[in-house]
Structures are given as C-alpha cells and as structure tokens.
Amino acid sequence: MKTIFGIMILLVFSTGGFAQEAKPGTTFKDCPVCPEMIVIPPGEFVMGSPIEESGQTDEKPQHKVKIAKPFAVGKLEVTFDQWDACTAEGKCPKASDDDLGRGDRPAININWSEARSYVQWLSQKTGKKYRLLSESEWEYSARAGTTTAWYWGVSEGSQGSLRTCQYANVHDESSSAAHPLYVWSAHPCDDGYAETAPTGKFKPNAFGLHDMSGNVREWIEDCFHLNYTGAPADGSAWQESTCEKRIVRGGSWIDGFQTVRSAYRHTLDPAQRAYHVGFRVARDL
C-alpha cells in the first residue's frame, strides 16, 4: 500500500506496467484482447422478486446477500472479436454467429463449458483469476443499487417502454417486423436492432455495465435450483456434485417485459448453444 498525494491506493493489479486503483468504477484491461473490466463495490442487496412483481416461484424467497469484497465484471458481454482471439490460440472452439454479425457483437452459440474454457484461457494468459459470475453477483451487478423490477425503473407502459429501448436491446418493433413468428408480447418501441446489437450501444446501469438486460442472455456459474431456499448469502456460486442444468440471466433481443427483469432467471442444459445466449466475465481482485 502506498500513499500518493495523500491518497491511499491499493496496488492490486497493473496493466501495461501502470498501477490501477482498486476502487469502484475503475476500468482496466489486462491485455489488448481482454475484455474491459469495471470494479464493482462490495455491498448488500435483496435477491429475488416480491410476489407483486412476479409469480415466478424460482425467484423466491427473497433473501439478503452480502458481497464482502470488490470484484471486477466485464463492462460488456464477451464479443466475437474477443472470442475469436481465443479461437486463434487454439483454446476455444469456433462459434457460429448465425449471420447475426461478428466483430463487436456478443459471442453466441457457446455452451457453458466453452464459456468456462474462455475464462480459463484469460486466466492463463494474464495470470489473473477470471471466471463466470455467480448468480447472486450477476443480480447484484445488474441491479446496481436499484430495487425496481428493471434497473432503469419502469418498463411497461408507453414511457416505460421508451426507457427500455434506451437501456436494452429487447423484443420490440424491429424484431417483431423481422421475425413475425415471434408472436409473444413485444415492447412498443424501437431500439433499432432486429437481432443482436454491437455491445455497449445502450445506456449503462449505475455501475457502468452495459447490456446487463437484453442483447443476449448470459451464462452463470451456478447450478440451477428450483428456488432460493438454502441459497448462499455470501455471493458465492451455488454448486452441486452433479449439475444437470445451469443458469442464464439477463434476457435477450427476443425477450419481452417479464423476461428482462433483474430477478428473472432461466435454466439451460450446459451443453446447449443458442443464438440468444452469450456470457460476460468476472475477475477476482
């Protein structure tokens, strides 16, 4: 620990030889092809949804979770550029974009094990501890201090829908027009994208994270459990010796009002790949 101009700075990591401050809101990259990270503060929040928000039993009971230490989260979802860098080094398999676009668009058609291969590659490449987020870390990061169903406030109603299309790439007028077979309820606004959008195009939440809701759903480290009875209260991942299903969070470009809520959770076979599922990374500090 050093004192520079009277400010205490923890030298917990460096990028390109320059010390970085491990304080909330700090951004950094550990290598040129690594995701940009944001330091998330410690804190406490109530995980899950109240009965008046949703009848989803898997989002209950609501319970307090305490995040004791700061950690870093990808500012954006992992992009195809970043995924393809791992592929080029022989550590990640090729992934199809289903003609939705590569480059700075979120990497899709990646299963849970492949997402973990990517964070293992980052860890080996940088000497830092990269990983997938735990489910409680994800919801804490998505809410960013909010208690509303959506981290931008309201979503339903005309004004709420306009806010949604400012903060998230969701099932809206564009995707409804391009995909008439998607007959479920769409947001009555236009975010400008019929499928995936380049990462970072929408407003961030209060922690500076983009696309925590919408664009693509994100793989989580935890095993799926039917509800939160017995869930960890310390931010750690909820694991089992055998795990048939994993969690994805955040909603996507094909999701309506209810499925882009901060508390919404969905389960997938860990071997499954989908054009609306990607991931983002976390890093220990």
Side-chain angles (χ1 to χ4, degrees), residues 158-194:
S158 59
Q159 291 303 311
S161 291
L162 288 175
R163 286 180 61 82
T164 301
C165 281
Q166 295 171 356
Y167 282 86
N169 178 22
V170 294
H171 183 44
D172 64 341
E173 293 171 355
S174 290
S175 56
S176 291
H179 300 279
L181 295 181
Y182 295 176
V183 296
W184 51 90
S185 178
H187 299 258
C189 59
D190 190 348
D191 59 33
Y193 295 95

Side-chain angles (χ1 to χ4, degrees), residues 39 65 67 71 90 116 150 187 190 204 226 263 267 269 280:
V39 177
V65 176
I67 309 293
F71 63 106
R116 293 191 85 243
W150 302 272
H187 299 258
D190 190 348
L226 292 176
T267 178
D269 185 308
R280 77 176 66 220

Side-chain angles (χ1 to χ4, degrees), residues 69-121:
K69 299 187 297 184
F71 63 106
V73 173
K75 181 178 180 179
L76 309 171
E77 293 160 332
V78 172
T79 66
F80 265 112
D81 277 341
Q82 292 159 350
W83 180 264
D84 290 343
C86 180
T87 301
E89 294 192 13
K91 300 298 183 181
C92 294
K94 292 181 180 180
S96 169
D97 64 2
D98 274 342
D99 295 325
L100 301 187
R102 300 184 81 83
D104 60 356
R105 290 179 186 260
I108 57 173
N109 288 315
I110 293 159
N111 66 30
W112 182 84
S113 295
E114 292 164 347
R116 293 191 85 243
S117 294
Y118 178 82
V119 295
Q120 290 166 4
W121 171 70

Side-chain angles (χ1 to χ4, degrees), residues 133-142 212 218 249-250 262:
L133 282 78
S134 73
E135 189 173 13
S136 53
E137 286 176 334
W138 187 95
E139 188 169 325
Y140 174 73
S141 299
M212 290 299 288
E218 299 173 8
R249 296 292 298 258
S262 296

